[in-house]
Each structure stands twice: as C-alpha cells, then as structure tokens.
Amino acid sequence: MLDNFREWLSDNLRYILLGLAILIVLVILFFGIKAITGGFSDKEGKEPAQKTEQEKESGKSGDSEEKPSEEKSGNALAKDAHPEVTTLVEAFYAAWGQKDVAKMKELTDAFSKTDETKVTNADYIEEYRNVEVYTKPGLEENSYVVFISYDLKFKDVETPAPGLSVIYVYQNEDGTYLIHNDESNAEIEECIEKTRQEEDVKELITQVEKELNEAIEGDENLRKFEEELGSKVNTAMMADNGEMLTTTEICNMRAEANSDSDIVAILTKGEKVKKLENADENWIKVEYQGNEGYVYSDLLQ
C-alpha cells in the first residue's frame, strides 16, 4: 500500500507542486492587494485628522473663509486706549461740572454763546462721576470718535443718572488734542452717525440705557426729576443756532439785548423766528422777516 502511495506521489508530484505554487501566488496577491488598499485608506483617513489639528491650532475653518470681525480689523470699541484722549475728555467733563467755561473753550476748537448758555444754565448738574472713555478710529490718523459713559449727579437727587455722549477728537498741528465742536462739518457728522450704528457701540448704548432705567426705577426722586427736567430747562437758550423758535405770547423784538432799546417789531403769539445766537442776560438774537433783533428767551420756545 505504501508502495502504491509513493508511486502515486511520484506520478502526480509535478501537479501538486504546481497547485502549491498557484496557492502561494494567490495568497501573496491577496495580502499584497490588501496592504496596498489599506495603505491608501489609512492615508485618506489621517489627512482630515491632520487638517483638523491644523485648524484647531490656527482657529480657522476649512469649509469657509470668515469675514474679519471688528476686533480683528482693529476697529473694536477700545476703552482708555489713548491716554491723551482720556485725559482731554476727563478734563472737559470736570470743567463742565464746575461750569468752567474758560477751560472748556481751551479744550475745544469752537465754543459758541449757545454752548456757554447750555453750561451756565445747567445749574441742576452737580458733577460727572465715573467717566469712562471709549474710542473708535476717526476719518484721519490720530482722530477718534469718542463715546463717554458717566454717572450724572443732579443736585438734591441721591442716585446718579447713567448717561452716554459722543464727541469727535483730533490731534491739532501742535500735537495737542482738541474736541471738535462744529456740527457744520457734514463729513464728521456722517462718520459719527455711522460709528454709532456699529454693533459694539449699540451694545454699549443698550447697556447704559439699561443702567439708567434701573436707576430711575430704584429712585422715585430721580424719576420725578427726569420728568420735570424739560420744563426746568430754557429750551430756547438750549436750541442750536439756525433753529426756528416760536413766541409763546405777544412780545417785542428790540434793537439791542435790553428792554430799554428801540422796538424793531411787535410779534404776536405763535410767530416763527430764526435763532441766530444767544446774547447776554438771557436774550436771544433772532431774525424775523429779514430783520434782526433781540427777544427775551422766556418768551420763546
């Protein structure tokens, strides 16, 4: 039997070896192809992971390109970013609280009679507290749109009223900074208004309004004062030059700012006159039907 097996093996050995060779080749091909395709699969799977890591490091998205934010573009609302501007604003509001018109004139490029009246007649203002200065770039280098938040302390009212103002500051030729106080410059006024609409400025405005409402709700005296403030203030003296005012009763328009001067015209109640400027002793210089004269401010609104 063993001899028969040996004889069979001898007769079929070449076929067996051929089969084994074919099997070995198939095995090699199988693992070779798997290794190759697995290599590509691993590579494709790792690349996105590497990209994600790079994105994490750079903080950027690979799917879309972000628009630069105000902070990235250098246009973010910055608090106390320019010491000279902060010093200027603090000095201006300190002078306002002290009714120091002379000092306010030094800090501005223009200060009209109307501006003087707004300051001197605001005797209900005790001081500006907690003045904070925020800036955004202006039209030119070393110029800024400035937002000022503060607590306004009224006389005989315990709780200060939070407030917010906006001004334009620029560097003068001698290197000093001045407050621009001429509203006739349309380009600057447009720049201020555009800046006022930016999101971080709106957030500041909303925050101050919220603080004011909370202060009013928490102090009945402050609420009453705010309601009565309009009636206490001489609106005609506060009005800007060029505005139209209305007579509240029959009155005289005089040649000079006193009750002894010649009468230029007699105005009935409800007459419209154009304000030219504030004058001394609460008189206002006006224009009526092509003539100029003076009307006592209490008779205008």
Side-chain angles (χ1 to χ4, degrees):
M1 185 174 181
L2 183 60
D3 292 337
N4 291 336
F5 174 75
R6 287 176 178 173
E7 183 177 354
W8 176 86
L9 181 62
S10 176
D11 293 337
N12 296 280
L13 181 60
R14 57 180 180 177
Y15 298 109
I16 294 173
L17 291 177
L18 179 60
L20 288 175
I22 292 172
L23 179 62
I24 291 171
V25 169
L26 290 175
V27 170
I28 292 174
L29 288 174
F30 174 80
F31 285 104
I33 292 172
K34 184 174 182 180
I36 293 172
T37 56
F40 279 118
S41 177
D42 290 344
K43 185 177 180 181
E44 290 173 354
K46 290 178 182 178
E47 279 188 344
Q50 292 172 355
K51 187 175 183 181
T52 302
E53 292 299 325
Q54 291 172 357
E55 288 170 0
K56 288 181 181 179
E57 291 175 3
S58 64
K60 297 180 179 178
S61 172
D63 296 330
S64 62
E65 184 177 347
E66 293 182 358
K67 294 181 180 180
S69 65
E70 290 174 352
E71 183 176 357
K72 291 177 182 178
S73 64
N75 193 39
L77 193 63
K79 181 181 177 182
D80 295 330
H82 306 281
E84 302 91 340
V85 175
T86 299
T87 300
L88 170 68
V89 171
E90 289 176 343
F92 181 80
Y93 278 86
W96 197 339
Q98 298 164 6
K99 311 298 184 292
D100 189 348
V101 172
K103 182 63 176 179
M104 296 176 80
K105 286 183 177 180
E106 292 179 9
L107 302 175
T108 60
D109 59 5
F111 210 78
S112 66
K113 282 270 188 185
T114 300
D115 294 324
E116 291 184 32
T117 302
K118 288 180 179 180
V119 173
T120 55
N121 281 10
D123 54 359
Y124 51 87
I125 293 178
E126 188 173 298
E127 64 176 330
Y128 289 85
R129 299 176 178 176
N130 304 322
V131 176
E132 295 183 344
V133 181
Y134 301 84
T135 54
K136 282 215 169 197
L139 295 171
E140 299 177 355
E141 186 178 3
N142 296 324
S143 69
Y144 308 94
V145 178
V146 185
F147 294 87
I148 308 102
S149 68
Y150 47 74
D151 292 325
L152 181 53
K153 178 65 174 64
F154 297 119
K155 288 183 178 179
D156 303 322
V157 180
E158 182 178 354
T159 304
L164 184 71
S165 298
V166 57
I167 59 176
Y168 194 88
V169 172
Y170 66 96
Q171 189 175 41
N172 205 8
E173 292 179 355
D174 61 3
T176 61
Y177 283 85
L178 288 174
I179 296 171
H180 174 79
N181 199 41
D182 182 5
E183 295 182 356
S184 65
N185 190 317
E187 190 176 11
I188 289 180
E189 292 302 309
E190 182 181 353
C191 175
I192 292 174
E193 184 57 32
K194 181 179 178 181
T195 305
R196 202 196 306 267
Q197 301 305 317
E198 294 176 2
E199 288 303 319
D200 48 1
V201 175
K202 287 183 177 180
E203 290 176 7
L204 178 62
I205 294 172
T206 300
Q207 178 62 32
V208 174
E209 288 177 347
K210 178 182 176 182
E211 292 172 357
L212 175 60
N213 291 333
E214 290 174 351
I216 291 174
E217 290 174 3
D219 190 329
E220 182 66 15
N221 290 332
L222 178 59
R223 184 187 67 78
K224 290 181 178 179
F225 182 85
E226 289 280 353
E227 290 177 353
E228 297 171 358
L229 184 59
S231 61
K232 292 182 178 180
V233 175
N234 188 319
T235 55
M237 296 293 283
M238 293 294 192
D240 291 327
N241 297 341
E243 287 190 22
M244 299 303 294
L245 303 177
T246 305
T247 58
T248 57
E249 57 185 85
I250 187 170
C251 58
N252 297 322
M253 185 172 79
R254 297 185 177 272
E256 302 294 337
N258 62 75
S259 57
D260 296 326
S261 65
D262 295 337
I263 297 175
V264 177
I266 298 176
L267 309 178
T268 60
K269 181 180 179 180
E271 291 281 6
K272 297 289 185 180
V273 297
K274 181 180 180 180
K275 179 178 179 178
L276 299 180
E277 63 179 356
N278 289 334
D280 296 330
E281 303 298 327
N282 289 331
W283 287 79
I284 297 178
K285 187 176 182 180
V286 300
E287 179 184 308
Y288 173 70
Q289 294 184 350
N291 297 318
E292 295 182 1
Y294 296 83
V295 177
Y296 196 66
S297 62
D298 287 351
L299 303 175
L300 298 169
Q301 65 180 13

